Amino acid sequence: MIKVQQLTKIYNKQFALRGLDLEINYGQCLCILGPNGAGKSTFIRILATLSRPNRGDILVDGTSVFAAPAAFRRKLGLIAHATFLYPELTARENLIFYAALYQIANPDTRVDDLLKTVGLAHRSDDRVRTFSRGMQQRLAIARAILNEPEILLLDEPYTGLDQSASQLLTDRIVELKTAKRTIVLITHNIQQGYQLADKIAIFREGRVALECDTGAMSELEFQQKYNEIVTAGGKN
Ligand code: ADP
């Protein structure tokens, strides 16, 4: 289990996270919703160990992820606002680079398979800087699942994707859910979040305003609850 305890992050004397508590079970798909500025991206960056909290901790099986962040990172796949791709390298070179980093066996085969999966086989040898936003996002998906991560962190992964790429991403998420991987997904699409998630957390003002299993509430009830909570915030 991943246990988030009293996570606090302060930027320029302003709280981005205000003592956030959350539990994520292994094999669970957690969807995080909430208005802009609620702290969702900050939380995922800290969970990815790309940023440190001012206070609080994230425990995995009782051990802080910040004790051995590199080891924890090897278990992760991440799709964030930054693509973490090298624009001057080709699509294939980017994936080969990350495959080497993750010490993946038979990297050429794995990379070619993934390029096909994300519909970029025909552009494998083109430099990433010549790619559209959506194509870069497709490649970012391939990069994120390259190491068959135990934990996949997705920060608004649907941004910039056309319908076929969105479907492709949903298929991969469902596949990883079936394989009992742990998924944390930030999205603004309540319907999609509700349908993919086992559990939903609504963030507001740096805290979890509501945490519930999707089985405990219908989509409509959830939508109403979301509106109440977000309106009560009086912002956005
Ligand atoms: P969300 O993802 O829910 O939209 P964020 O986590 O991006 O929210 O932001 C939460 C708060 O933290 C916002 O007020 C934002 O301006 C602030 N913030 C986030 N990242 C930084 C940063 N790198 N520097 C300064 N302030 C930041």
Side-chain angles (χ1 to χ4, degrees):
M1 181 196 277
I2 302 172
K3 213 166 176 165
V4 180
Q5 290 179 331
Q6 287 296 299
L7 210 63
T8 302
K9 181 73 182 180
I10 304 167
Y11 290 115
N12 310 322
K13 298 186 184 159
Q14 303 245 23
F15 282 88
L17 298 177
R18 298 167 185 265
L20 184 131
D21 293 311
L22 190 62
E23 286 182 0
I24 310 166
N25 289 327
Y26 289 134
Q28 191 171 55
C29 177
L30 169 76
C31 179
I32 300 174
L33 292 155
N36 293 329
K40 304 181 297 296
S41 292
T42 301
F43 168 67
I44 257 195
R45 274 202 306 275
I46 294 175
L47 180 53
T49 70
L50 298 176
S51 167
R52 292 284 175 121
N54 295 84
R55 280 198 295 279
D57 208 347
I58 299 179
L59 306 176
V60 173
D61 296 332
T63 306
S64 171
V65 295
F66 306 109
F72 182 63
R73 248 177 261 148
R74 272 195 288 278
K75 298 181 184 179
L76 299 180
L78 173 67
I79 300 180
H81 294 199
T83 58
F84 305 108
L85 297 169
Y86 295 94
E88 291 306 323
L89 298 184
T90 67
R92 180 182 278 115
E93 286 166 348
N94 264 282
L95 294 187
I96 290 285
F97 170 80
Y98 281 104
L101 213 62
Y102 288 119
Q103 300 175 322
I104 284 166
N106 304 318
D108 292 322
T109 318
R110 174 88 181 127
V111 165
D112 281 341
D113 285 350
L114 273 174
L115 286 166
K116 262 187 233 143
T117 306
V118 299
L120 287 175
H122 65 299
R123 297 291 300 264
S124 300
D125 297 317
D126 291 344
R127 287 177 202 263
V128 165
R129 71 170 154 77
T130 69
F131 284 11
S132 71
R133 172 84 178 85
M135 289 166 70
Q136 291 191 27
Q137 189 72 341
R138 282 173 183 252
L139 193 58
I141 294 168
R143 183 193 51 70
I145 59 175
L146 189 65
N147 58 333
E148 298 182 321
E150 279 175 43
I151 304 168
L152 188 63
L153 308 179
L154 307 165
D155 187 353
E156 295 182 41
Y158 289 94
T159 306
L161 294 184
D162 62 24
Q163 208 173 358
S164 83
S166 294
Q167 189 55 52
L168 183 148
L169 177 60
T170 301
D171 292 347
R172 294 285 87 69
I173 293 174
V174 170
E175 212 171 81
L176 287 162
K177 266 187 73 166
T178 311
K180 290 281 165 218
R181 302 299 160 101
T182 307
I183 301 168
V184 181
L185 167 70
I186 296 177
T187 177
H188 284 291
N189 187 330
I190 296 181
Q191 187 185 22
Q192 188 177 45
Y194 180 89
Q195 283 170 9
L196 279 171
D198 300 303
K199 174 164 140 174
I200 302 196
I202 300 176
F203 280 28
R204 200 190 71 199
E205 296 173 359
R207 292 197 187 94
V208 176
L210 178 77
E211 196 178 338
C212 77
D213 290 341
T214 45
M217 228 184 255
S218 74
E219 191 180 324
L220 187 64
E221 283 169 323
F222 180 73
Q223 177 87 50
Q224 284 165 345
K225 203 85 193 154
Y226 180 87
N227 291 342
E228 273 169 35
I229 287 170
V230 171
T231 316
K235 289 182 192 161
N236 300 288

